[in-house]
Amino acid sequence: MKIDLTDTTASRINNALVQGRRALGAPAVGMVLTLVIVTDEEHAYDALKAADDASREHPSRKLVVIKRVSRSPRDRAKARLDAEVRVGGDAGTGETVVLRLHGEVIDHAQSVVLPLLLPDAPVVVWWPVAAPADPAKDPLGALAQRRVTDTYACEDPVAELDRRAATYAPGDTDMAWTRITPWRSMLAAALDQQPGVQITAAEVAGEAYNPSAELLAMWLADRLGVPVTRSVSGGPGLTAVRLETQNGPITLDRVDGSLATLTMQGQPDRAVALKRRDTSELMAEELRRLDPDDTYASALKYGVDRLGTPGAAVPATGEKAGEKPAPAKKAAAPAKKAAAK
């Protein structure tokens, strides 16, 4: 069921939501959070489709904020709010309100969104593209317990990681980090099968300008305390991780974006499923946890500039020339714990 409202107010939108639920014979509200999606017309359809799919696991009220650019000074001076209310099958599991802001109301989006938030329910704000420089200080971001961005959508993703580290606040997260959860879990499991093994170095290979590769490399350097190099491959996405140990290398190699091969000394090669996930799966994972991700914060703040390039690895914190790297039996445990978060 869809209800179109032109030049409307938040009060009328709330009334339309109630009327829509009653018309469907479902007045009870069983949603667990409010998801605010801040995007543009070009990316609104894909973002909303991903949110609808994720809402099957997390029933939610989805508020899509689209800031319409006015062409003339006269139009920019006019404040207008148009809305499209969707309930029932047109809204996935939950409710959807598409808000189109015109004129001066663009600068006061938080005033439009605030009356539409579910009472006593967590708020998540997601910027599929064009995230603010400091999400926590953004007027909409300040309403949320969780703020989701995607550095992969930025013009210079690697440089954006440095900016995200400088402005990080508890509750910030990144889709580029969510994409490497299966990699972190697999690597932690592989280290558990080599108790006491000493890791001396690591290398992460992936396509250029892929922030997930940098984040995975920073996570390894931060948790294992060894030099980590970042090399460029043809993709797609992340393609390989190699951990150097005194017993021989541990390699996780994925060349096709779907199936990976885990290789360890003294064990047969194993094929493991490691497919690239779509946006709806990533969003569903993000909505499973609303508390601050300390592991992401620690990896992000490690710093891209401290990663080495092939042949010129940079030592990790506290590792001086001539010192032996930390044994894996001390580092594998926090790695496994981090992967589980």
Side-chain angles (χ1 to χ4, degrees):
M1 180 178 181
K2 295 183 182 180
I3 304 173
D4 290 323
L5 301 171
T6 303
D7 196 8
T8 188
T9 64
S11 177
R12 293 174 185 170
I13 294 171
N14 269 319
N15 289 336
L17 286 168
V18 174
Q19 292 172 8
R21 289 196 299 267
R22 287 177 177 172
L24 294 173
V29 179
M31 292 165 285
V32 298
L33 59 89
T34 303
L35 175 61
V36 182
I37 306 170
V38 187
T39 185
D40 52 24
E41 290 285 5
E42 180 182 356
H43 300 90
Y45 175 82
D46 290 337
L48 185 53
K49 184 179 184 302
D52 284 343
D53 291 342
S55 72
R56 304 185 191 286
E57 183 177 338
H58 309 277
S60 57
R61 174 175 289 180
K62 299 172 288 294
L63 305 178
V64 185
V65 179
I66 301 174
K67 300 179 180 181
R68 299 294 298 270
V69 179
S70 301
R71 296 182 179 179
S72 67
R74 179 178 298 178
D75 291 338
R76 286 194 290 271
K78 295 179 180 179
R80 191 176 95 238
L81 171 64
D82 298 335
E84 180 182 317
V85 177
R86 305 179 186 178
V87 293
D90 293 312
T93 303
E95 302 168 337
T96 297
V97 181
V98 181
L99 303 166
R100 290 184 171 86
L101 283 55
H102 303 259
E104 294 179 348
V105 74
I106 288 176
D107 298 325
H108 305 281
Q110 73 279 9
S111 299
V112 175
V113 168
L114 187 58
L116 301 176
L117 301 178
L118 290 172
D120 302 321
V123 178
V124 178
V125 178
W126 173 32
W127 292 269
V129 293
D134 190 343
K137 293 184 179 179
D138 180 83
L140 286 173
L143 301 175
Q145 286 78 30
R146 191 80 162 165
R147 295 167 294 275
V148 185
T149 59
D150 191 353
T151 51
Y152 190 80
C154 298
E155 185 175 349
D156 189 345
V158 177
E160 188 66 21
L161 289 175
D162 285 332
R163 288 189 283 271
R164 288 280 173 263
T167 61
Y168 174 82
D172 290 354
T173 189
D174 189 348
M175 285 284 195
W177 173 255
T178 317
R179 291 184 180 96
I180 64 173
T181 299
W183 286 83
R184 294 189 294 125
S185 299
M186 191 61 62
L187 290 169
L191 291 178
D192 278 348
Q193 298 177 42
Q194 300 278 337
V197 69
Q198 187 181 64
I199 299 175
T200 58
E203 181 178 357
V204 176
E207 62 186 357
Y209 303 106
N210 188 311
S212 294
E214 264 72 24
L215 282 169
L216 182 58
M218 290 189 290
W219 173 72
L220 287 170
D222 181 52
R223 306 306 284 183
L224 297 176
V226 299
V228 179
T229 61
R230 164 72 164 97
S231 59
V232 177
S233 68
L238 274 163
T239 54
V241 175
R242 181 184 177 94
L243 304 178
E244 299 291 348
T245 77
Q246 84 273 22
N247 295 337
I250 299 174
T251 304
L252 185 60
D253 193 5
R254 185 187 69 178
V255 296
D256 61 357
S258 177
L259 193 65
T261 301
L262 178 63
T263 303
M264 292 188 289
Q265 190 73 21
Q267 297 187 22
D269 293 355
R270 281 174 286 177
V272 294
L274 207 61
K275 74 179 185 70
R276 305 187 74 191
R277 298 179 293 169
D278 58 29
T279 306
S280 61
E281 293 176 280
L282 299 174
M283 178 51 64
E285 179 182 327
E286 282 295 342
L287 297 180
R288 290 185 198 121
R289 61 171 303 165
L290 300 177
D291 57 315
D293 190 340
D294 295 332
T295 306
Y296 163 68
S298 182
L300 180 67
K301 293 178 180 180
Y302 181 87
V304 177
D305 56 343
R306 294 172 63 190
L307 297 176
T309 54
V314 179
T317 303
E319 183 179 325
K320 300 178 182 179
E323 288 185 349
K324 293 183 179 180
K329 62 182 179 181
K330 296 182 180 179
K336 182 180 179 182
K337 181 180 179 182
K341 291 188 176 181

